[in-house]
Amino acid sequence: GFGLYLVWPALYSTVTDSYRLGRVGRLRTDLGGVYFNAVFITGVSTAYLDTKAPWLLVAIVALHIETATQFLPMIRLDGYYILSDLIGVPDLFSRMGPVLTSMIPGRPTHPRVRELKPWVRRTITLWVLIVVPYLLYWLVGILIVVPRVLPVVWHRLVSLSQAMSAAATAGHAAEAALGVVQIILLLLPWVGSLLLLCMMAHRPVRAMLTRWVPALSHAGRS
């Protein structure tokens, strides 16, 4: 079908029933997107060999890079699900908190970590040690870049809005429609980034509220 991934348009296929398959079957399902990328790359490569168009060569390189990024396990891309199915743990992010808690000196191993096989526990711990700095890096990067870029984006947004309004007033429907598309494309990355940050912060904030609110209420009553 066709839908939105966060805010970006995307084609999708429902593979919920793949969890009824064995490990090999689930891995084969996880690699479905990479397979179609490979098919598309093959088609573009064939077109390049036939036409020698330079832009096709650039597209091939870009497609290879995009396909390679799908194997990154830091966020919910193909690599995340491949790792999840390889080690047999459905939701890796739900294990992040218990793993971090278990790494605090003097703290006992969390039951959700202790129940895992030793090699799975080591794999998830390594994954957490990679993912946490990665997410923090991007979070800090966003916080540094946003104050510098946001005024530029706002200025461009105002400019596009004025141009779209002028085109609509003059009866230029095509130019007005193009302005709407440009505004949407300008806003999409920001809305998507905001949603991603909210998703990243949801569990930590909920955990802190669950822990602190009862304690504050108890302190207030006493």
Side-chain angles (χ1 to χ4, degrees):
F2 179 81
L4 295 176
Y5 182 72
L6 292 180
V7 295
W8 291 280
L11 297 173
Y12 73 92
S13 177
T14 302
V15 293
T16 304
D17 290 339
S18 66
Y19 284 100
R20 300 179 182 179
L21 302 173
R23 179 172 298 180
V24 175
R26 293 197 303 272
L27 288 172
R28 189 164 54 242
T29 303
D30 296 336
L31 291 169
V34 176
Y35 167 78
F36 282 105
N37 278 1
V39 171
F40 190 66
I41 289 173
T42 302
V44 176
S45 300
T46 303
Y48 171 74
L49 292 175
D50 183 58
T51 63
K52 302 299 182 182
W55 69 270
L56 287 175
L57 187 60
V58 175
I60 292 169
V61 174
L63 286 169
H64 274 87
I65 295 174
E66 192 274 336
T67 302
T69 59
Q70 293 298 315
F71 287 98
L72 295 176
M74 288 77 167
I75 56 177
R76 296 180 189 272
L77 299 176
D78 292 339
Y80 171 87
Y81 294 104
I82 290 171
L83 177 62
S84 176
D85 287 329
L86 277 174
I87 64 178
V89 178
D91 188 359
L92 295 176
F93 279 107
S94 68
R95 308 277 178 165
M96 182 177 290
V99 168
L100 291 174
T101 302
S102 302
M103 294 173 65
I104 299 175
R107 286 285 189 93
T109 303
H110 195 282
R112 297 201 66 200
V113 178
R114 193 166 53 245
E115 69 185 8
L116 300 172
K117 296 178 181 179
W119 73 272
V120 175
R121 188 186 311 167
R122 289 192 292 269
T123 302
I124 293 181
T125 301
L126 178 61
W127 175 79
V128 169
L129 292 175
I130 294 173
V131 170
V132 171
Y134 174 84
L135 295 179
L136 288 176
Y137 169 79
W138 282 107
L139 178 60
V140 172
I142 290 173
L143 294 177
I144 293 174
V145 169
V146 164
R148 301 179 181 179
V149 177
L150 197 56
V152 179
V153 174
W154 176 254
H155 177 74
R156 180 59 177 165
L157 182 62
V158 171
S159 175
L160 288 173
S161 299
Q162 292 174 346
M164 182 194 66
S165 178
T169 303
H172 300 155
E175 293 182 13
L178 180 60
V180 172
V181 172
Q182 289 177 317
I183 290 173
I184 292 174
L185 293 177
L186 181 64
L187 291 177
L188 274 180
W190 293 93
V191 176
S193 299
L194 181 61
L195 287 175
L196 189 59
L197 287 174
C198 291
M199 291 170 61
M200 290 169 56
H202 174 69
R203 283 185 177 175
V205 171
R206 186 177 62 180
M208 287 189 294
L209 291 176
T210 302
R211 182 174 181 179
W212 290 349
V213 170
L216 292 175
S217 300
H218 179 73
R221 287 194 299 268
S222 61

